[in-house]
């Protein structure tokens, strides 16, 4: 399909994405990315060499800085999705949406559609209506599946079907499907306009976890004093010193006790891990007990070392960005299978 160059998209200067359209390889499928964050989903799709994001939406100012630093070729809209003039959006092949998960998360209040953030799924579907993509890709917390005894998820699937799409979904764990040492389960929904593509698509198969914690965490590197826990800075340091013994695992301080993640992988990274206190991942390095660095958190989300982190924003914002993001290798594997399904359909049609 590519990008439709209809005149309506140029009615307002802010929606003139001509330079971005001209920058992409026309042989690739085009992606419109909603709630893009720092671009983890976009990176996963682009790493396949089959997709190119041409438009993204992200309302968080600091996440937008990181996104723009790494995706200068993408038109980034910093409006909320409710404010986007949807009828002016480009026609694309894929719409991706990591709509906010707090309304459905176990860590949140689980209000679902009663929370205004829960309604952002329907805003996503308004974008789908106007852009008419071949594929809709959704990512969210595992708890979305069971929220309100499954009724919330049923509404989402039915809405996709009623919009003319054939959805498939699966809960995937980063350690089992991304070769990343993090225990992070997420629900992925892939919906196709074409029944043939739907039939050809399969979610990635489970793979062996070969990466270790020391592949993503620098236990033997001295880092800034900021990251270390000491007797002077932390009233619970004696408890940490007593329990944080191994470099084979990641620990967490749980307000009153130390929790060891005995599976040898990192527990799920969270958006608030940079605020200190409860649930902050901790390690025993060669130089003392410390929290993970921001870069290590991005490593544990599967971002490559070439992914740039801005130097002019607070550490807490970078921790939040990492915790809110996705596991890039899992996205890449799903996107690869999406491409294969679409190519199979094109071959059947002789394209």
């Amino acid at each position: 399909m590519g990008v439709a160059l209809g005149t309506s998209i140029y009615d307002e200067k802010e929606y003139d994405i001509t330079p971005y359209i001209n920058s992409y390889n026309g042989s690739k499928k085009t992606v419109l990315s909603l709630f893009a964050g720092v671009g983890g989903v976009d990176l996963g799709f682009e790493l396949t060499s089959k997709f190119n994001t041409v438009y993204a939406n992200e309302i968080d100012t600091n996440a937008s800085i990181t996104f723009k630093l790494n995706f200068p070729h993408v038109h980034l809209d910093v409006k909320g999705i409710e404010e986007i003039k949807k009828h002016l959006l480009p026609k694309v092949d894929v719409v991706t949406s990591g709509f906010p998960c707090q309304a459905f998360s176990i860590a949140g209040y689980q209000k679902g559609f009663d929370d205004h953030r829960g309604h952002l799924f329907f805003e996503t579907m308004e974008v789908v209506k106007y852009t008419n993509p071949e594929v809709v890709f959704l990512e969210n917390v595992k708890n979305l599946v069971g929220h309100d005894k499954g009724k919330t998820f049923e509404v989402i699937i039915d809405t996709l079907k009623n919009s003319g799409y054939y959805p498939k979904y699966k809960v995937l764990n980063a350690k089992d499907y991304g070769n990343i040492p993090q225990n992070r389960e997420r629900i992925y929904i892939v919906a196709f306009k074409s029944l043939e593509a739907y039939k050809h698509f399969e979610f990635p198969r489970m793979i062996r976890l070969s990466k270790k914690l020391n592949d993503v965490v620098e236990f033997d590197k001295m880092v800034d004093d900021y990251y270390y826990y000491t007797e002077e800075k932390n009233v619970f340091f004696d408890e940490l010193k007593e329990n944080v013994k191994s470099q084979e695992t990641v620990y967490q301080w749980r307000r009153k006790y130390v929790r060891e993640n005995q599976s040898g992988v990192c527990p799920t990274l969270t958006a608030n891990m940079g605020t200190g206190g409860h649930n902050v991942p901790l390690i025993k390095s060669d130089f003392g007990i410390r929290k993970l660095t921001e870069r290590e958190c991005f490593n544990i989300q599967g971002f490559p070392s070439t992914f740039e982190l801005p130097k002019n924003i607070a550490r807490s914002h970078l921790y939040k960005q990492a915790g809110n993001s996705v596991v890039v290798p899992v996205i890449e594997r799903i996107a690869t299978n999406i491409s294969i399904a679409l190519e199979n359909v094109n071959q059947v049609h002789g394209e």
Side-chain angles (χ1 to χ4, degrees):
M1 181 190 298
V3 179
L5 304 181
T7 56
S8 64
I9 195 172
Y10 306 119
D11 290 346
E12 298 186 21
K13 184 177 180 181
E14 63 188 300
Y15 285 91
D16 184 0
I17 65 169
T18 310
Y20 304 94
I21 292 172
N22 292 339
S23 72
Y24 89 99
N25 182 338
S27 65
K28 297 181 181 181
K29 296 289 187 181
T30 52
V31 178
L32 185 151
S33 177
L34 301 174
F35 310 102
V38 299
V41 170
D42 305 279
L43 183 57
F45 270 81
E46 292 197 354
L47 284 172
T48 68
S49 300
K50 301 292 185 179
F51 299 93
N52 200 91
T53 300
V54 295
Y55 175 99
N57 144 263
E58 175 52 54
I59 194 172
D60 184 279
T61 301
N62 292 294
S64 297
I65 292 171
T66 306
F67 184 98
K68 199 63 180 174
L69 182 63
N70 290 279
F71 298 90
H73 61 283
V74 177
H75 176 87
L76 179 62
D77 196 331
V78 295
K79 290 185 177 66
I81 190 173
E82 307 98 323
E83 302 173 77
I84 292 174
K85 293 179 173 61
K86 299 176 181 65
H87 65 286
L88 296 177
L89 293 172
K91 301 296 182 182
V92 292
D93 300 302
V94 182
V95 167
T96 69
S97 178
F99 57 99
C101 64
Q102 293 93 333
F104 311 105
S105 173
I106 292 174
Y109 293 104
Q110 301 191 58
K111 292 183 178 180
F113 293 139
D114 291 332
D115 186 316
H116 77 279
R117 294 168 296 188
H119 286 276
L120 295 176
F121 163 73
F122 299 107
E123 293 288 345
T124 292
M125 294 309 297
E126 283 294 305
V127 171
V128 169
K129 172 184 173 183
Y130 285 107
T131 56
N132 194 34
E134 294 179 60
V135 182
V136 178
F137 173 90
L138 306 175
E139 179 268 348
N140 214 290
V141 292
K142 174 187 176 183
N143 197 51
L144 178 65
V145 179
H147 182 268
D148 194 16
K149 299 180 180 179
K151 294 177 183 177
T152 299
F153 194 69
E154 184 179 348
V155 169
I156 289 172
I157 296 301
D158 286 347
T159 302
L160 286 164
K161 290 179 178 177
N162 293 335
S163 299
Y165 288 87
Y166 300 93
K168 286 186 178 181
Y169 55 89
K170 191 170 183 177
V171 173
L172 305 180
N173 195 321
K175 67 183 180 63
D176 299 321
Y177 293 88
N179 192 24
I180 290 294
Q182 182 188 175
N183 183 33
R184 189 182 190 89
E185 293 181 297
R186 289 294 185 267
I187 178 70
Y188 300 93
I189 305 171
V190 181
F192 293 89
K193 200 81 168 174
S194 161
L195 178 58
E196 292 179 37
Y198 164 84
K199 290 178 178 178
H200 278 102
F201 175 78
E202 294 182 358
F203 278 98
R205 296 181 179 179
M206 187 180 293
I207 55 177
R208 184 179 67 87
L209 177 63
S210 61
K211 283 190 177 179
K212 307 297 183 184
L213 282 174
N214 60 16
D215 292 319
V216 291
V217 176
E218 297 180 294
F219 289 96
D220 58 352
K221 180 181 178 180
M222 171 74 80
V223 297
D224 189 272
D225 287 345
Y226 163 83
Y227 300 100
Y228 292 95
Y229 283 64
T230 65
E231 190 171 4
E232 293 75 21
K233 291 193 298 185
N234 308 98
V235 295
F236 49 84
F237 180 74
D238 287 344
E239 190 76 16
L240 295 180
K241 188 176 179 180
E242 176 69 23
N243 292 280
V244 179
K245 298 289 190 181
S246 172
Q247 291 191 353
E248 302 292 325
T249 189
V250 175
Y251 299 83
Q252 289 173 301
W253 173 248
R254 306 280 285 189
R255 289 198 176 100
K256 294 184 177 181
Y257 67 97
V258 177
R259 177 184 178 184
E260 179 183 357
N261 196 47
Q262 296 181 347
S263 61
V265 300
C266 183
T268 304
L269 298 182
T270 64
N272 62 1
M273 61 186 163
T275 60
H278 186 52
N279 276 354
V280 177
L282 301 173
I283 62 165
K284 179 177 174 58
S285 77
D286 291 350
F287 303 95
I289 298 168
R290 66 169 174 86
K291 66 175 72 176
L292 299 171
T293 67
E294 304 93 307
R295 173 59 71 180
E296 287 170 334
C297 290
F298 276 88
N299 292 346
I300 293 170
Q301 291 283 44
F303 283 79
S305 59
T306 53
F307 190 84
E308 296 186 60
L309 303 185
K311 296 180 174 60
N312 58 341
I313 63 176
R315 289 185 173 111
S316 60
H317 292 305
L318 291 175
Y319 281 117
K320 178 181 178 182
Q321 290 170 25
N324 276 337
S325 195
V326 296
V327 177
V328 175
V330 176
I331 303 296
E332 182 182 1
R333 295 188 71 211
I334 297 172
T336 296
N337 287 10
I338 290 173
S339 176
I340 292 171
L342 295 176
E343 288 173 358
N344 282 333
V345 171
N346 290 337
Q347 289 172 4
V348 169
H349 292 163
E351 298 178 13

